[in-house]
Amino acid sequence: MLFAAESGRTVIDENLANAAMIMQEFSHIYEGTAFGGKTGAGIAEFDCAGYDHAVRFKADAAAAIARVTFEIIRHGQGADLLVELRDGFNPDGSTAGSLLRFMVLPKEFIPPSKGYFSIPIDISDLVSGAYYWLIIKKAGDADNHFHLHGETIQDSLYPTYKRAGNSGDWTAENAIHFGVYNGETGNLLHGIYGYNAITWLIWDGDLIAKAYRYLPPASGFIGGVRQIKTYQWSGEILKRGVV
């Protein structure tokens, strides 16, 4: 497993050196096809600094998720978006269910203009037709945060809830815009290397415009390597990459 180095914590030894040099397991995530999610006018903003949000969806016949998308915008310096995939969650507060995946979208990558942004999930052992939940954890403060976007009404197909505290029941709220995807069609969007090093590819037509790289430290998700590389092209010839 790969980790970013941390001052005062990382030991330069055989294990660290070998981890950087040996072959790592990887997976590639493509655009794929949406099998669920809510879209619409997108006129409502959701408070993500003060509330956790929970969205339910149903797994399709493939029983897999390659990636999820949210309609999102960064305010100020932003805040890291933490999303959990859970099975067995109950909004009455009786159980948080089982944590299946935990992914981070670094604040530096969240767009300053409203738009859909992709987060890799890469899970293939779900149950077809079963319900699962995406939990978006509250983050940030009054000046630096992100907003999810959605509708001004609820949707019974994709029930959505919010909670300010860390215990108790959740309150039903209006529908958040999101999408769940699987399949290996379209452009390559993500690479996951050594389980926790993640790359985002941003396309401009047929060319890669930017690549984002996130490598968390061993102590958690805060800090680590967060880089954005911009590719410069001359026609169809790649000239350089600028970090």
Side-chain angles (χ1 to χ4, degrees):
M1 183 174 291
L2 297 173
F3 290 108
E6 291 181 89
S7 178
R9 295 179 60 96
T10 302
V11 177
I12 306 300
D13 61 6
E14 178 183 354
N15 291 333
L16 179 67
N18 286 340
M21 292 186 289
I22 63 175
M23 291 189 291
Q24 299 286 339
E25 293 191 11
F26 71 91
S27 60
H28 282 167
I29 310 298
Y30 296 83
E31 287 181 81
T33 302
F35 66 86
K38 178 66 179 178
T39 60
I43 62 175
E45 283 192 337
F46 292 77
D47 177 5
C48 296
Y51 293 93
D52 294 334
H53 300 273
V55 181
R56 194 187 75 177
F57 68 94
K58 181 187 291 188
D60 71 348
I65 303 174
R67 63 189 186 96
V68 300
T69 61
F70 295 102
E71 191 171 30
I72 190 172
I73 186 173
R74 184 181 73 221
H75 289 274
Q77 297 300 309
D80 291 344
L81 187 158
L82 283 63
V83 59
E84 299 175 343
L85 174 65
R86 287 188 174 269
D87 177 24
F89 168 84
N90 194 321
D92 68 5
S94 61
T95 178
S98 300
L99 178 63
L100 304 180
R101 281 288 189 275
F102 174 81
M103 301 299 289
V104 178
L105 173 58
K107 62 184 180 181
E108 294 86 355
F109 303 169
I110 298 175
S113 300
K114 183 180 72 172
Y116 282 91
F117 205 84
S118 177
I119 302 173
I121 297 294
D122 189 33
I123 191 169
S124 59
D125 54 354
L126 304 180
V127 177
S128 177
Y131 287 108
Y132 295 90
W133 293 82
L134 296 170
I135 312 296
I136 303 95
K137 308 295 287 185
K138 60 179 178 285
D141 54 34
D143 298 317
N144 302 300
H145 54 267
F146 61 86
H147 283 300
L148 297 176
H149 281 255
E151 298 298 298
T152 56
I153 58 174
Q154 297 180 16
D155 187 334
S156 61
L157 292 178
Y158 301 104
T160 306
Y161 295 83
K162 66 179 180 180
R163 187 174 71 178
N166 296 318
S167 62
D169 61 345
W170 296 60
T171 302
E173 63 174 340
N174 296 329
I176 287 173
H177 289 166
F178 77 104
V180 281
Y181 294 75
N182 57 30
E184 289 76 43
T185 58
N187 287 328
L188 175 66
L189 296 185
H190 304 286
I192 302 176
Y193 309 96
Y195 298 103
N196 58 342
I198 303 173
T199 297
W200 282 257
L201 295 179
I202 309 301
W203 292 78
D204 181 6
D206 294 329
L207 303 177
I208 298 174
K210 293 182 178 181
Y212 301 168
R213 181 69 184 274
Y214 172 57
L215 179 63
S219 61
F221 67 89
I222 297 173
V225 175
R226 298 161 179 239
Q227 290 184 305
I228 300 176
K229 178 182 289 185
T230 300
Y231 291 96
Q232 297 179 357
W233 297 81
S234 176
E236 295 182 351
I237 304 300
L238 179 62
K239 294 283 290 182
R240 61 181 56 89
V242 180
V243 177

